[in-house]
Amino acid sequence: MECKPVIQVVSILFLWLTLPVTRLCPDGHDISGSDGGWTVDPDHHLTDEGPCNVDIWDKSLTHSQFIQQYAYSRPVILRGLSDNTKFQLLCSKTNLLRDYGEKVVRLSTANTYSYRKVDVPFQEFVDHLLKPQSLDALGSDTLYFFGDNNFTEWHSLFEHYQAPRYVLPHTRGAYSFGISGAGTGVPFHWHGPGYSEVIYGRKRWFLYPPDKDPDFHPNHTTLSWVRDTYPSLPPEERPIECTIRPGEVLYFPDHWWHATLNLDTSVFISTFLG
């Protein structure tokens, strides 16, 4: 059974609030989860989750249905397909700093082409670079921790992650792990098919099919696109979109345009199928 939001916050996109949005199942079970210690300033949250026009399925979706209805044609959100409670615990701020604080991570600029790479210790990234997005910053000025992970060093963490069970024929999965501040994200781009799961926080997704190019500037942030371009789009030019939360996985097919916006400080992992 699909869980519904029981608290809806209506506000201007860029109003920062402390009131959380909680999702409850009919039995009263809270599925929003804690923040894992990643919320440094509780005032720094984006409250506008936007509409959701992506299909949502639970375990009742069969592999054959996934292949026939979604794998090559449209995105879908999956809930409850795997239990990543242990992986979530390992991804708390305390645990990651303990295990990986001295490790070097590679940051990319948050623009469509990710021109620049910067190597810093993980502790330095968390202490000094993990912060909310400035409204006037360009993508080339924003350092984003996602992908480019040394798989050997991070293997002890990734081995506890349960990837989505639906696999495309003739593909294998490769992980990309990330942590980013509220308001950050990557502008529109495309690549092969894959999954994205939120471990902590909320991530808003915007998607277009391969034959419909979005109107965007490759060096402007998703935050500025939502502020400046999104409101003026006519209905027929609006993206497919949804906000996903911990325990929810979004699948996107090959060559689909997509942009992301982290509504909170977010920890997330993608499985790219290639």
Side-chain angles (χ1 to χ4, degrees), residues 179-190:
I179 304 171
S180 295
T184 62
V186 289
F188 283 102
H189 63 287
W190 59 264

Side-chain angles (χ1 to χ4, degrees), residues 3-20:
C3 301
K4 301 290 186 180
V6 298
I7 298 177
Q8 295 181 351
V9 181
V10 180
S11 63
I12 300 174
L13 173 63
F14 303 110
L15 178 64
W16 302 96
L17 297 178
T18 59
L19 180 64

Side-chain angles (χ1 to χ4, degrees), residues 169-238:
H170 313 298
T171 66
R172 298 180 64 182
Y175 297 145
S176 284
F177 180 68
I179 304 171
S180 295
T184 62
V186 289
F188 283 102
H189 63 287
W190 59 264
H191 43 67
Y195 295 96
S196 180
E197 179 168 355
V198 171
I199 308 304
Y200 291 109
R202 297 168 298 154
K203 184 183 287 285
R204 188 174 174 184
W205 281 76
F206 307 91
L207 304 107
Y208 286 97
D211 60 352
K212 191 168 186 177
D213 293 349
D215 178 17
F216 76 103
H217 189 289
N219 198 31
H220 289 176
T221 64
T222 304
L223 187 61
S224 65
W225 180 85
V226 172
R227 177 191 62 186
D228 301 331
T229 302
Y230 179 90
S232 62
L233 293 175
E236 66 274 11
E237 294 183 15
R238 290 271 172 126

Side-chain angles (χ1 to χ4, degrees), residues 39-40 62 267:
T39 302
V40 178
T62 66
V267 180

Side-chain angles (χ1 to χ4, degrees), residues 5 24 36 46-47 64 66 73 91 96 98 100 102 110 121 160-161 167 185 187 214 216 231 243 267-268 271:
L24 301 180
L46 292 174
T47 62
S64 61
F66 170 76
S73 58
C91 290
L96 283 185
R98 180 197 64 208
Y100 299 98
E102 297 181 358
H160 295 287
Y161 177 65
V167 179
F216 76 103
T243 294
V267 180
F268 46 92
T271 307

Side-chain angles (χ1 to χ4, degrees), residues 70-81:
Y70 301 105
Y72 307 104
S73 58
R74 54 185 171 142
V76 62
I77 293 172
L78 308 171
R79 288 179 175 164
L81 268 65

